[in-house]
Amino acid sequence: MITASEAGLAGVVAGKTGISTVGKKGFGLTYRGYSIEDLSEHASFEEVAWLLLHGELPMYEQLVAFSEELQSRRSLPDRLKQVLEILPRTAHPMDVLRTGCSMLGCIEPEESPEQQYEIAMRLLASFPSMLCYWHHYHQSGDRIDVETDDDNLAGHFLHLLHGKPAAEHLCRALDVALILYAEHEYNASTFAARITASTMSDLYSAITTGIGTLRGPLHGGANEASMELVEAFVNADAAEQGVMNQLAAKKKIMGFGHRVYKKFDPRSDVIKRWSQTLCEETALTPLYEISERIEAVMRREKGLFPNLDFYAATVFHCLGIPTSMFTPLFVFSRTAGWSAHVFEQRGNNRLIRPAAEYNGPGPRVFVPINERA
Ligand code: ACO
């Protein structure tokens, strides 16, 4: 009999992985054995993506070659651009990426698993292009050039979005967020991507599955919902009152709590420091004060802590990124983790097909349609 706490597979070990540890005693959050604190302090997103895809940190020449490979894969085929143009202006950017991924899979299909690494690079490189091409076309009618000289994803995206290169420390802020978002063991979207891969489907289908699963506010969509929450208040006192009212109405506060972490999310401290720095620099300190007050209220009232999404929201906002693009940023980054998991699943595959406890009606006699009362 499945208990309430087991619903949603809470605490169920559903497979093995050598890619990351989430909250594991003696490890904390690690990618391939390296702590998230070290990676976010010393590495770049490209270095982390390589680590996830290959299992080891790259040598200097390997990292340079990898960055150049990614740079060379940023262009979009004309037929994909046409699809982006006919998508509605009002589409959610997550739907744009999901569709863009599918369309690229039609134009450049994966014909053999040997192409998986090339395709993972292609998606990592071209997701920012897809999003920005769609965005600018529908904002101003501009068919932008989606290739820039920026040698990393963070700088490339900010350049495409704002139409000019971004300052180095702003690129680094986004780079750190991408590192923190890159991988998280058997979270919902990764597990969904692994299920798709386990049927021997193609990499595009697995990534599309991941995007669809990430979109919801209980998962990646929480960063957008967090921004909407923080922005709704004029100051910290109003935030305290508003959150108290929402809790009294039994509403969930997005950006708080976690299925696995019970005391804190190690990614939150890292991104919170960036949130403070950028809010102060851009004269958006009230947003940081509001966020801190919400954090204090949630700790006091519910014993809950902010997850990565909460302070990532103000970081993205200070970078001038529209709120509806926050979850797509998660996609840019998590494509590295999803791909690594698909490679791992394929390396030792068995169809993922669990069983269900039946709670429907007992056996019944079929009644023909014209005899039903
Ligand atoms: N706000 C208010 N109450 C909460 C919150 C929250 N954010 N999170 C959990 N709770 C409460 C629940 O209401 C529930 O209370 P009850 O036992 O009185 O009914 C209890 O804590 C347990 O909550 P569950 O939702 O059952 O816990 P679960 O492990 O399933 O949830 C989850 C984890 C989905 C992340 C949850 O904390 C949540 O919904 N948070 C908000 C959404 C969010 O921030 N998602 C991002 C996840 S991290 C990421 O994707 C990077």
Side-chain angles (χ1 to χ4, degrees):
M1 179 86 161
I2 293 199
T3 62
S5 66
E6 286 164 346
L9 300 181
V12 173
V13 175
K16 295 187 179 194
T17 183
I19 302 171
S20 65
T21 56
V22 174
K24 202 171 169 50
K25 217 167 170 218
F27 281 83
L29 174 57
T30 61
Y31 298 170
R32 304 280 191 190
Y34 296 100
S35 78
I36 196 64
E37 290 79 9
D38 277 348
L39 292 171
S40 59
E41 180 72 26
H42 304 295
S44 66
F45 171 69
E46 281 69 19
E47 212 171 341
V48 166
W50 171 283
L51 171 70
L52 292 170
L53 296 173
H54 294 272
E56 297 296 336
L57 287 168
M59 301 303 287
Y60 178 77
E61 300 72 28
Q62 290 172 318
L63 180 58
V64 170
F66 182 58
S67 301
E68 286 172 1
E69 289 277 2
L70 291 173
Q71 247 179 292
S72 71
R73 286 170 165 78
R74 288 175 178 163
S75 67
L76 300 176
D78 286 344
R79 281 176 296 170
L80 175 49
K81 288 182 185 167
Q82 285 160 14
V83 165
L84 294 170
E85 289 179 17
I86 60 170
L87 288 179
R89 181 177 187 275
T90 52
H92 191 283
M94 284 296 277
D95 298 339
V96 172
L97 287 187
R98 199 189 58 223
T99 307
C101 184
S102 264
M103 182 61 186
L104 195 62
C106 295
I107 303 170
E108 301 171 9
E110 184 182 36
E111 276 147 3
S112 130
E114 278 150 32
Q115 294 172 301
Q116 64 181 11
Y117 178 62
E118 297 281 316
I119 292 171
M121 285 198 292
R122 177 73 166 123
L123 288 171
L124 277 168
S126 64
F127 275 143
S129 308
M130 291 181 206
L131 184 63
C132 291
Y133 185 88
W134 169 82
H135 172 73
H136 287 294
Y137 180 79
H138 290 281
Q139 290 301 310
S140 56
D142 288 347
R143 293 185 164 98
I144 61 160
D145 178 0
V146 291
E147 294 182 78
T148 70
D149 290 339
D150 302 271
D151 59 8
N152 64 25
L153 192 157
H156 172 61
F157 170 69
L158 290 173
H159 189 164
L160 284 186
L161 179 66
H162 298 309
K164 55 180 189 209
E168 208 169 308
H169 72 292
L170 300 182
C171 297
R172 180 57 188 160
L174 183 56
D175 198 50
V176 169
L178 295 173
I179 292 171
L180 299 174
Y181 271 121
E183 161 58 14
H184 219 222
E185 198 225 45
Y186 274 29
N187 58 87
S189 57
T190 301
F191 190 54
R194 285 190 80 127
I195 291 174
T196 301
S198 84
T199 69
M200 295 178 71
S201 187
D202 66 305
L203 182 55
Y204 294 99
S205 296
I207 302 293
T208 307
T209 301
I211 297 171
T213 311
L214 187 68
R215 190 188 192 296
L218 294 189
H219 193 4
N223 55 17
E224 296 178 23
S226 296
M227 192 65 230
E228 283 153 16
L229 176 78
V230 170
E231 270 185 321
F233 303 116
V234 287
N235 58 37
D237 289 344
E240 173 147 7
Q241 191 54 57
V243 169
M244 290 296 286
N245 292 345
Q246 293 190 26
L247 290 177
K250 301 260 173 254
K251 285 199 179 146
K252 274 193 167 177
I253 306 301
M254 295 300 154
F256 285 87
H258 197 271
R259 171 58 67 80
V260 181
Y261 299 127
K262 294 300 164 211
K263 296 204 170 106
F264 69 101
D265 179 339
R267 303 167 297 179
S268 178
D269 285 350
V270 179
I271 205 69
K272 184 177 174 180
R273 287 194 288 274
W274 275 104
S275 171
Q276 181 170 18
T277 305
L278 294 185
C279 283
E280 283 169 4
E281 184 183 311
T282 50
L284 291 170
T285 316
L287 287 181
Y288 185 73
E289 289 166 358
I290 288 168
S291 304
E292 276 211 308
R293 183 71 72 84
I294 295 174
E295 178 183 350
V297 172
M298 288 302 283
R299 286 189 193 277
R300 185 186 74 212
E301 298 297 321
K302 302 286 292 184
L304 286 174
F305 51 88
N307 56 49
L308 169 60
D309 285 323
F310 189 64
Y311 283 102
T314 33
V315 168
F316 296 156
H317 183 81
C318 291
L319 294 173
I321 300 169
T323 304
S324 63
M325 289 189 181
F326 290 6
T327 320
L329 286 168
F330 198 153
V331 172
F332 296 170
S333 157
R334 190 57 62 87
T335 296
W338 289 332
S339 301
H341 276 272
V342 171
F343 298 178
E344 185 177 63
Q345 182 67 34
R346 286 174 166 181
N348 187 19
N349 189 47
R350 186 152 191 239
L351 176 72
I352 300 174
R353 198 293 188 197
E357 184 181 293
Y358 180 67
N359 66 355
R364 295 194 270 184
V365 175
F366 179 81
V367 181
I369 195 159
N370 54 359
E371 293 172 25
R372 283 174 214 161

